[in-house]
């Protein structure tokens, strides 16, 4: 259970298989986010047809609504949301810090106000594991603090807490059918990331996440941090870059040895009329698409592009139809999931570096357009 | 083209086949409504999987947005919305009267304000047909006025106009691959309905609708009006009851000899958390379903009921997830489309009267609960 086989490598890029109680995960893998036990605008059948394998759900959200004990009562998260494949829950830490207006952190845990009804709640490492045990995902995450990445003093102080919490999580986690991953923190500071990766490595957990990135630092700082961290993390364990990302970040992450990713970007952008293409992002609401008889992306084989015109998709957006979100979500997830499959194939064929360079050369990130 | 075969009868109830350029329609048939060239929350694949055959779209909405000439440019409504089966467009008359704040009717047509941007527009019978010719549905409707059903003086005056408009529609309609249906009006007045049905019958159109019902009259008045009208309409032409309806109205309509129906009810209710069942309507947002491990309707074979619990569906509703609308739309359409298939089978087997009585006995309409 949770054995991780490394199948091929190409410089730092890795192709592997992570075995879970709900089937094998072929890595590198991108996990669509199902915040509230549903990937927004998708049915499980549509997700399966897209070739999604791993889905992430949010502990913070499900704890507040509908409640983790209700999910357990109904057979756990797999049964509740009818996702037959592997599931991952985060620890709730990130949401406590980003969504709650009022929160008070101490060495034992965090007291916070619900963003839904203002009621008060408390998460501790022990509670975060208990909730995730109730939810029953295949992969669960240690409770951590995600500090402002550039504030060294704060990051240093917070890191001690995050490490102590990781140990407490490990000591109370009991379900053998769930893998507890640790989360490396340390902001953008190489020495702190090294220290954190070494500390967590010593706990001998079945997998490790790189947390606290994609929260305001530069791309260069992000890449350097991934490099430093992966140099310490054990080769034989999966590496998970949390909250990433965009097409270019996925390619760069794989290039630096990351195996797993999750991000709301493809689904959130879809609900805001933006489409990924292999050359960059399009705003499908633009008037220039009003009479466009072509597909959202020429050559794309997804259900949206194989059937519908840009003119129709734009009409749905302007008319505020649910189908707009459905079609663009299908398309955006297809782009990212295909990208992951192509990267894996390139690693297996030994052509990854060429693939990555070609992709990054033709892809225009949003930042470069500003 | 547009031949209507009567296959079986059971008292007044009829089972038939209406041949269209996009395939045969087995009647009695219920058409889901795709107001803006999409049945809300459904992909065409999901509709097809539900066994939907006929889909209705609204001329008023598509004329305003994205525009009928754009739809024609892109290959017509079938290509635009990727619905391979038969399509029907209404004439726009009903929406002009119900959605536009400001409208001025004269004997030549109606001038109205767009509900979207306040711009002024004018529909005449000739224009309504031109727009519907551009949209390209298999079945198109004569431009009519839908008057307040209980105001005899107004209904009488309006009826003359509606009849003159029907003649004008017939004289300008040119596309042989589109069937122009007339619309019987006359409010709740038997003599006016008789006169209207006789007038339109004389035009020898390929099908006839009963308009101006389900807009405020009592159920008894609705049933009496259908009966009077169907007694005059030709046996060999399909009869279409517009804007109906609820499960009990569909059963009563078929019982009185109606062949076609359309209504936003199943899709609109779904987006408002209401589920049809064979016994009545449920409000799935109710707290009583919060921990309910059963399906929305026991025994139902739709995707929603075959896979998900009431607790999950309620969670999606409370969490305002798109999947709530998708699952309840799938369920509600499945209930109505199954009901139509069962009624047709019962007519063919000669057991319709028993079927209808059993259904109406166990079904509790919303009105009776108030």
């Amino acid at each position: 259970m949770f054995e991780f086989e490394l199948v091929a490598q190409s410089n730092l890029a890795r192709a592997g298989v992570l075995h879970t109680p709900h089937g094998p995960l072929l890595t590198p893998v991108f996990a669509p986010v199902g915040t509230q036990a549903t990937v927004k605008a998708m049915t499980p059948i549509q997700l399966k047809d897209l070739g999604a394998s791993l889905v992430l759900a949010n502990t913070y959200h499900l704890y507040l609504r509908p409640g983790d004990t209700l999910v357990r009562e109904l057979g756990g998260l797999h049964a509740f949301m009818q996702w037959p494949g592997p599931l991952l829950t985060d620890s709730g830490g990130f949401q406590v810090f980003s969504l709650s207006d009022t929160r008070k952190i101490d060495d034992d845990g965090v007291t916070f106000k619900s963003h839904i009804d203002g009621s008060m709640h408390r998460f501790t490492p022990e509670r975060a594991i208990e909730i995730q045990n109730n939810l029953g995902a295949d992969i669960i995450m240690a409770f951590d603090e995600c500090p402002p990445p550039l504030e060294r003093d704060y990051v240093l102080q917070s890191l001690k807490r995050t490490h102590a919490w990781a140990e407490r999580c490990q000591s109370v986690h009991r379900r053998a059918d769930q893998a507890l991953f640790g989360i490396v923190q340390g902001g953008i500071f190489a020495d702190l990331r090294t220290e954190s990766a070494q500390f967590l490595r010593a706990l001998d957990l079945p997998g490790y996440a790189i947390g606290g990135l994609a929260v305001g630092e530069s791309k260069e700082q992000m890449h350097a941090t991934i490099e430093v961290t992966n140099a310490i993390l054990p080769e034989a364990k999966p590496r998970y870059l949390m909250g990433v990302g965009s097409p270019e970040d996925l390619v760069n992450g794989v290039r630096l040895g990351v195996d797993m990713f999750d991000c709301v970007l493809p689904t959130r952008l879809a609900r805001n009329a933006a489409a990924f293409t292999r050359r960059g992002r399009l705003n499908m609401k633009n008037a220039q698409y009003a009479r466009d008889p072509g597909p959202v992306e020429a050559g794309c084989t997804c259900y949206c592009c194989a059937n519908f015109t840009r003119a129709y998709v734009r009409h749905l957006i302007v008319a505020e139809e649910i189908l707009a979100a459905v079609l663009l979500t299908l398309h955006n997830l297809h782009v990212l999931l295909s990208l992951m499959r192509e990267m894996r194939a390139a690693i297996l064929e030994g052509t990854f570096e060429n693939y990555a360079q070609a992709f990054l050369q033709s892809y225009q990130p949003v930042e470069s357009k500003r």
Side-chain angles (χ1 to χ4, degrees), chain A residues 157-313:
Chain A
Q157 184 199 353
S158 154
L159 196 58
K160 290 196 188 104
R161 202 144 53 198
T162 285
H163 290 169
W165 288 0
E167 284 185 310
R168 286 164 58 185
C169 286
Q170 189 180 28
S171 76
V172 295
H173 175 52
R174 287 282 172 275
R175 282 182 62 169
D177 60 343
Q178 295 184 301
L180 172 65
F181 279 26
I183 305 179
V184 177
Q185 291 287 356
I188 55 150
F189 306 102
D191 59 329
L192 300 186
R193 286 282 173 178
T194 300
E195 183 193 324
S196 183
Q198 281 169 339
F199 180 90
L200 291 168
R201 182 184 176 135
L203 296 183
D204 192 28
L205 294 161
Y208 295 97
I210 308 174
L213 290 181
V215 290
E217 78 288 357
S218 72
K219 294 281 180 185
E220 292 69 28
Q221 290 169 327
M222 187 206 273
H223 296 162
T225 303
I226 296 170
E227 211 167 351
V228 150
T229 307
N230 280 348
I232 311 288
L233 290 175
E235 288 244 304
K237 301 286 176 73
R239 300 162 184 167
Y240 163 30
L241 181 56
M242 302 184 83
V244 170
S246 62
E248 72 275 20
D249 285 346
L250 295 177
V251 173
N252 283 317
V254 170
R255 204 181 204 173
L256 294 169
V258 175
D259 307 300
M260 301 166 57
F261 303 85
D262 81 278
C263 195
V264 296
L265 200 62
T267 45
R268 182 172 292 166
L269 285 179
R271 297 194 308 285
N272 288 293
F276 284 134
T277 76
R278 295 305 179 104
R279 298 187 158 274
R281 234 186 252 178
L282 305 178
N283 180 351
M284 292 308 305
K285 201 175 177 173
N286 282 350
Q288 70 183 103
Y289 304 123
R291 311 187 91 84
D292 192 330
V296 169
E297 181 173 15
C300 178
T301 59
C302 84
Y303 176 66
C304 174
C305 292
N307 288 280
F308 302 96
T309 59
R310 286 173 165 180
Y312 181 66
V313 171

Side-chain angles (χ1 to χ4, degrees), chain A residues 146-158:
Chain A
C146 177
L150 311 181
E151 297 177 25
R152 185 174 172 96
D153 287 350
Y154 189 93
V155 171
L156 182 61
Q157 184 199 353
S158 154

Side-chain angles (χ1 to χ4, degrees), chain A residues 54-116:
Chain A
L54 178 65
V55 172
L56 179 143
N58 287 118
T59 291
Y60 169 87
H61 289 280
L62 294 175
Y63 156 77
L64 288 177
R65 196 170 58 188
D68 51 297
T69 53
L70 174 61
V71 173
R72 187 188 57 189
E73 237 177 81
L74 291 161
L77 198 50
H78 290 87
F80 187 60
M81 66 187 286
Q82 287 288 298
W83 180 249
L87 283 171
L88 184 154
T89 46
D90 62 7
S91 66
F94 184 76
Q95 278 74 29
V96 165
F97 295 107
S98 62
L99 288 182
S100 178
D101 294 337
T102 312
R103 55 191 157 59
K104 202 166 169 292
I105 190 164
D106 56 63
D107 285 343
D108 186 53
V110 190
T111 301
F112 62 95
K113 213 178 208 174
S114 158
H115 75 289
I116 299 170

Side-chain angles (χ1 to χ4, degrees), chain A residues 329-349:
Chain A
T329 301
L330 283 170
H331 172 75
N332 284 349
L333 285 177
H334 174 83
V335 171
L336 294 200
L337 294 168
S338 307
L339 178 60
M340 301 311 290
R341 286 189 288 263
E342 288 170 16
M343 286 198 282
R344 189 171 199 274
I347 297 168
L348 292 173
E349 288 163 15

